[in-house]
């Protein structure tokens, strides 16, 4: 299912800048790589500092943070769509 969501996200990014689709696709890939790098770095730091026992709790915190960010992003998009 993740691949379908990534394709949809890439479509949204590319359609937001139709005159620069190649730039938008490159930006999408670059930001995905940056997100992966930051996630691995943060996960390694947390594993090294708190140990394995707290990793599930840290995962839940990251999940909640992600859901909050998605909620606010969707709220902003719906406000923009209502202004059109």
């Amino acid at each position: 299912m993740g691949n379908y969501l990534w394709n949809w996200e890439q479509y949204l990014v590319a359609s937001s800048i139709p005159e620069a689709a190649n730039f938008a696709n490159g930006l999408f890939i670059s930001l995905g790589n940056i997100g992966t790098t930051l996630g691995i770095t943060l996960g390694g730091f947390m594993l090294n500092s708190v140990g394995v026992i707290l990793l599930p709790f840290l995962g839940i915190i990251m999940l909640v943070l992600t859901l909050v960010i998605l909620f606010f992003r969707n709220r902003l998009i719906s406000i923009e769509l209502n202004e059109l």
Side-chain angles (χ1 to χ4, degrees):
M1 176 139 166
N3 291 335
Y4 297 114
L5 295 176
W6 291 329
N7 287 338
W8 176 249
E9 190 73 28
Q10 188 171 10
Y11 167 75
L12 290 176
V13 169
S15 65
S16 66
I17 313 172
E19 57 275 352
N22 288 335
F23 173 73
N25 285 330
L27 189 63
F28 176 78
I29 292 169
S30 296
L31 291 176
N33 288 337
I34 289 171
T36 302
T37 302
L38 290 176
I40 290 171
T41 303
L42 182 63
F45 175 74
M46 290 298 175
L47 179 63
N48 194 25
S49 46
V50 297
V52 177
I53 197 76
L54 291 179
L55 280 183
F57 300 111
L58 294 172
I60 291 170
I61 291 171
M62 294 302 289
L63 175 65
V64 169
L65 180 63
T66 301
L67 292 175
V68 168
I69 290 170
L70 286 174
F71 172 77
F72 283 117
R73 184 195 71 164
N74 290 339
R75 183 103 166 128
L76 287 173
I77 289 173
S78 67
I79 290 170
E80 289 177 5
L81 289 176
N82 288 334
E83 291 177 358
L84 293 176

